[in-house]
Amino acid sequence: MNIRRHIFAVAATAMLSTGAYAADIKLGVSGPFTGGSASMGVSMRDGVRLAAKEINAAGGINGNKIVLVERDDEAKNERGVQIAQELINNEKVVATLGYINTGVALASQRFYQDAKIPVMNNVATGSILTKQFPNAPENYVFRNAAPDNIQAPLIAKEAVEKRGLKKIAILADSTNYGQLGREDLEKALKGYGLTPVAVEKFNIGDVDMTSQLLKAKNAGAEVILTYAIGPELAQIANGMAKLGWKKPMIGSWTLSMASFIDTAGKNGNGATMPQTYIQSPSTTAKRKAFQEAYLKEFKPKNNNIASPVSAAQGYDSVYLLAAAIKQANSTEGPKIVAALQDLKTPVDGVVITYNKPFTATDHEAIKAKDVVMGVVENGRVEFLNAEDAKPKKK
Amino acid sequence: MDMFAQILSSGIAVGMIYAVIAFGFQLTFATSGTLNFGQGEALMLGALVGLTCVDTFGMNYWVMIPIVCLFGMIQGSFVELIGVRPAIKIKSEFGWIMSTIALGIIFKNVAENIWGRDALPFPAPLPMEPMNFLGASILPMEILVVVGALLMMLLVEFFNRKTIYGKAVVATANDRDAAGLMGINTSMVITFSYALSSLTAAFAGVLIAPLTLTGATMGGALGLKAFAVAIIGGLSSGMGIIVGGLILGIVETATGFYVSTGYKDVPGLILLLLVLAYKPSGLFGKSAIKKV
């Protein structure tokens, strides 16, 4: 045992020293590249790859190249935990980007927190993600995606304020994501003094939504608010068409998933959701450059990015981290965190220009004002309000 | 009343989906006393092969059906030859359980690698506009599922009762050893019953695919529900399978509406437990005494 430990120690020192010699900056990437959430995971990964390639082509971070260590967590909590330990202990990553699924993030982040290695959540939206360790002296969890406690009020605002709909049904799946989101939605509705007339649940893989929709219909719902992912959202849209009961569908950003848009077809038209980024030719120069580079590099089907939000946020997450590593001039976790919390130079991202995005107490880069409403139109997500399509004044 | 009609019609449509898959369980159980636990995967493969025919090769839905049926037969024979026959040969009591489950997992992994794990839409052969029937909205596709499933079961029953090959199947089902002594190639009959059972599953797959979504994971949940239907209805009764399917489908939809959508799956499973406890041969099954 002793000898083995000794050999291990020698090997580890050897690995560490060669690592330092080559001066590669290893970044972990964890997300589902197969499975029901794969369209989000793969788009995120491609966004990350694109940004890393650009940074390396421009000379890297202070002369050091970024090396990505990508792992498929299959949207499974236990895989996420294994990967976190592997990336920390074997790969010795400097930081990890990713997490599509709130559940996987919640299960895996504690390892990074304990190892003092920063995590940049670029897609997962569960509100508590960045507040998972309230008692820790330092928080290693950051996020550049719109959290649920921003999305839910926007969904409620769209239904209640903009459209004047008061009788509301909530349909959410039975996962962590769906049920945490449902709580946020109910809280947001309470702000308007409203209680939903129906709150219904379904499981992943359910093929028939008739009873849920009938209950909503029977309760006189005027609008359906959703918190679920693509395939089941498509079953809701198709089920409404079957019942001949067409009500607006407003829900979390997952209504922009390819698996919803493609499988719901024309029944999905009009579905409205908050978005941080919409693939559209007429926005800022940075967005245009990003779109062209992405389409050229990965050639997605019909030139539609499978999940544009994930791609853009994945891309930005690399630049945010790179800026912090550059400023810290170090790859030690605590120093990167200190730099992230006090970024001196603005980062020109695809979603927004990040001007001091994080502070010691606020690890959320995206604020409510950075989120716009999107609507599904003929197989694509478009801007709901035309004025959002124009470049914003800084 | 409208609500009730709607619940009933949706329940019947879902129930027939379960029944048509459960029917495949019954086919193999009758001849060999074994079940294909990869029945859900056979359904999934049928649906995905059908999708490739329709989407990639631009085939007509109706032209694609015989191809999928043929594929189902080959797939079923393969399962029998690789997984079930060796277990029967060495008289292993439960070997076939593990091997059919293992083959099911392998098929699922293969499908994930070929078609990916995203849910895919399946083009419908009939218009997807709902029709109004006694105040309930019904899709033409749902009627097709009910009619198609009944037709297929009738065909198989007709085959078993009226043709000489069917009589060989029935004889094997009644007493394998005696049938063997009478010159019936019983292992061939068992292979055939597996081929037939996967054929029905593959057919069920393309039948229901336009209603559900198509994907590598579609077989899991449906296969489990169909297994419950087979147990509730009775593994030796074709009639029981249909009734069992309808009971489960209607109970699920009604519970979702009248009790809570969170508890939709519970009554069906309670029913399964009750049947197992008080009438293990199923509601319509003949109780068999196993001689030791």
Side-chain angles (χ1 to χ4, degrees):
Chain A
M1 188 62 213
N2 242 341
I3 296 173
R4 198 184 288 171
R5 189 175 291 166
H6 194 72
I7 293 172
F8 178 72
V10 172
T13 353
M15 264 164 62
L16 268 182
S17 54
T18 48
Y21 224 65
D24 282 342
I25 295 177
K26 270 193 177 180
L27 298 183
V29 182
S30 179
F33 307 143
T34 54
S37 322
S39 59
M40 297 186 278
V42 170
S43 301
M44 179 276 284
R45 181 192 65 192
D46 289 350
V48 167
R49 280 185 185 172
L50 185 65
K53 194 178 157 193
E54 284 176 10
I55 292 172
N56 285 343
I61 304 170
N62 296 339
N64 305 321
K65 289 255 182 303
I66 295 178
V67 176
L68 298 176
V69 188
E70 298 166 357
R71 293 289 181 270
D72 179 7
D73 64 31
E74 300 167 30
K76 290 181 188 146
N77 296 1
E78 66 278 11
R79 279 293 293 149
V81 167
Q82 281 173 4
I83 289 168
Q85 290 169 322
E86 189 217 336
L87 290 179
I88 294 167
N89 299 324
N90 297 353
E91 298 288 346
K92 314 269 180 221
V93 295
V94 165
T96 284
L97 306 160
Y99 295 123
I100 307 296
N101 309 86
T102 299
V104 183
L106 288 175
S108 317
Q109 285 178 165
R110 65 181 72 256
F111 298 97
Y112 293 97
Q113 177 74 25
D114 291 345
K116 295 187 188 300
I117 292 173
V119 183
M120 181 70 75
N121 277 285
N122 47 24
V123 181
T125 58
S127 298
I128 59 166
L129 275 194
T130 54
K131 300 173 195 77
Q132 198 184 355
F133 311 104
N135 301 323
E138 240 177 339
N139 182 0
Y140 284 83
V141 183
F142 293 81
R143 165 157 55 194
N144 67 319
D148 287 337
N149 55 13
I150 287 181
Q151 292 190 42
L154 283 171
I155 297 166
K157 185 179 171 195
E158 179 67 30
V160 182
E161 258 180 52
K162 295 263 174 70
R163 306 195 188 181
L165 305 169
K166 296 276 174 352
K167 292 190 151 186
I168 287 159
I170 299 179
L171 264 62
D173 70 28
S174 53
T175 64
N176 256 352
Y177 176 68
Q179 291 307 309
L180 290 171
R182 175 189 55 79
E183 278 172 26
D184 280 326
L185 268 181
E186 286 182 3
K187 209 186 289 167
L189 289 174
K190 207 170 246 170
Y192 294 102
L194 291 176
T195 341
V197 293
V199 179
E200 302 303 328
K201 228 191 214 183
F202 44 86
N203 295 325
I204 300 288
D206 273 5
V207 293
D208 186 65
M209 299 285 174
T210 310
S211 25
Q212 286 87 347
L213 289 168
L214 276 182
K215 278 189 110 165
K217 185 184 176 190
N218 233 18
E222 300 166 317
V223 57
I224 289 190
L225 306 188
T226 60
Y227 243 96
I229 58 167
E232 288 74 34
L233 290 168
Q235 291 289 11
I236 294 175
N238 293 341
M240 267 199 275
K242 180 195 131 182
L243 293 178
W245 180 63
K246 191 70 190 148
K247 292 290 165 202
M249 220 174 141
I250 308 174
S252 60
W253 76 280
T254 42
L255 280 168
S256 69
M257 281 172 73
S259 52
F260 168 72
I261 297 175
D262 291 349
T263 37
K266 67 176 169 42
N267 298 335
N269 279 346
T272 306
M273 79 306 274
Q275 298 277 277
T276 54
Y277 169 77
I278 289 172
Q279 188 190 349
S280 154
S282 63
T283 36
T284 62
K286 178 78 190 173
R287 290 186 167 197
K288 206 169 162 225
F290 165 74
Q291 271 157 24
E292 278 166 10
Y294 189 99
L295 297 184
K296 193 166 154 251
E297 180 92 12
F298 304 107
K299 299 186 178 57
K301 203 168 74 184
N302 304 331
N303 269 348
N304 285 341
I305 303 176
S307 175
V309 171
S310 311
Q313 288 170 179
Y315 179 90
D316 283 3
S317 66
V318 183
Y319 273 97
L320 281 169
L321 205 58
I325 297 173
K326 191 174 176 187
Q327 182 179 316
N329 200 14
S330 159
T331 53
E332 285 165 40
K335 288 187 182 161
I336 298 176
V337 167
L340 273 172
Q341 289 174 350
D342 181 31
L343 275 181
K344 306 267 192 258
T345 46
V347 177
D348 187 17
V350 174
V351 174
I352 51 168
T353 299
Y354 301 90
N355 209 342
K356 295 204 179 300
F358 305 110
T359 65
T361 51
D362 183 6
H363 283 195
E364 303 278 1
I366 305 289
K367 306 289 185 288
K369 64 173 171 45
D370 305 322
V371 184
V372 299
M373 295 306 279
V375 61
V376 176
E377 261 170 35
N378 303 321
R380 284 177 60 94
V381 177
E382 305 284 352
F383 287 95
L384 180 67
N385 308 308
E387 68 270 18
D388 291 331
K390 295 183 198 104
K392 272 188 192 160
K393 289 187 192 82
K394 295 275 150 60
Chain B
M1 185 60 209
D2 286 5
M3 284 295 163
F4 187 68
Q6 186 66 60
I7 289 166
L8 207 60
S9 69
S10 283
I12 289 172
V14 178
M16 280 312 276
I17 293 179
Y18 297 156
V20 73
I21 308 167
F23 189 66
F25 282 119
Q26 190 224 340
L27 284 175
T28 59
F29 189 77
T31 53
S32 58
T34 59
L35 300 169
N36 179 4
F37 281 101
Q39 198 72 8
E41 274 63 42
L43 164 119
M44 171 271 292
L45 282 180
L48 285 172
V49 168
L51 182 67
T52 306
C53 287
V54 174
D55 248 20
T56 317
F57 301 122
M59 228 176 261
N60 183 290
Y61 180 86
W62 309 105
V63 179
M64 165 273 290
I65 287 182
I67 295 174
V68 167
C69 288
L70 185 71
F71 171 82
M73 290 196 81
I74 296 168
Q75 191 258 348
S77 316
F78 178 77
V79 169
E80 203 273 340
L81 289 174
I82 298 291
V84 181
R85 182 168 295 196
I88 294 181
K89 198 175 270 169
I90 59 166
K91 300 225 177 332
S92 154
E93 190 80 13
F94 299 113
W96 52 270
I97 298 182
M98 289 318 291
S99 41
T100 54
I101 292 177
L103 280 170
I105 295 173
I106 293 172
F107 286 135
K108 193 173 142 215
N109 283 332
V110 169
E112 278 170 2
N113 282 305
I114 298 178
W115 288 281
R117 284 214 270 175
D118 267 346
L120 306 159
F122 199 103
L126 297 175
M128 289 304 270
E129 306 305 323
M131 302 187 308
N132 207 310
F133 184 76
L134 293 178
S137 307
I138 301 174
L139 292 176
M141 208 49 224
E142 289 180 314
I143 297 173
L144 183 69
V145 168
V146 175
V147 173
L150 285 175
L151 207 65
M152 185 200 70
M153 293 189 217
L154 278 177
L155 268 178
V156 174
E157 288 291 312
F158 176 81
F159 172 84
N160 279 348
R161 284 179 199 188
K162 297 290 176 200
T163 65
I164 185 80
Y165 300 104
K167 288 196 171 125
V169 173
V170 176
T172 309
N174 276 334
D175 188 334
R176 190 156 81 227
D177 295 336
L181 290 172
M182 296 304 283
I184 293 171
N185 185 348
T186 52
S187 60
M188 180 82 139
V189 168
I190 292 171
T191 312
F192 175 74
S193 74
Y194 263 82
L196 201 61
S197 121
S198 278
L199 180 153
T200 58
F203 176 69
V206 288
L207 204 58
I208 66 170
L211 284 178
T212 66
L213 299 170
T214 324
T217 49
M218 75 184 283
L222 285 174
L224 197 67
K225 292 272 174 67
F227 184 66
V229 164
I231 299 294
I232 292 172
L235 273 166
S236 54
S237 161
M239 182 66 190
I241 297 284
I242 299 179
V243 177
L246 295 183
I247 291 178
L248 193 67
I250 295 169
V251 163
E252 266 187 10
T253 320
T255 312
F257 184 73
Y258 291 111
V259 185
S260 157
T261 40
Y263 286 110
K264 217 174 98 180
D265 294 337
V266 173
L269 296 173
I270 290 178
L271 185 64
L272 176 68
L273 292 175
L274 286 178
V275 167
L276 281 175
Y278 295 106
K279 204 164 181 311
S281 55
L283 293 177
F284 288 79
K286 294 182 282 277
S287 52
I289 300 160
K290 195 172 182 184
K291 290 183 210 95
V292 189

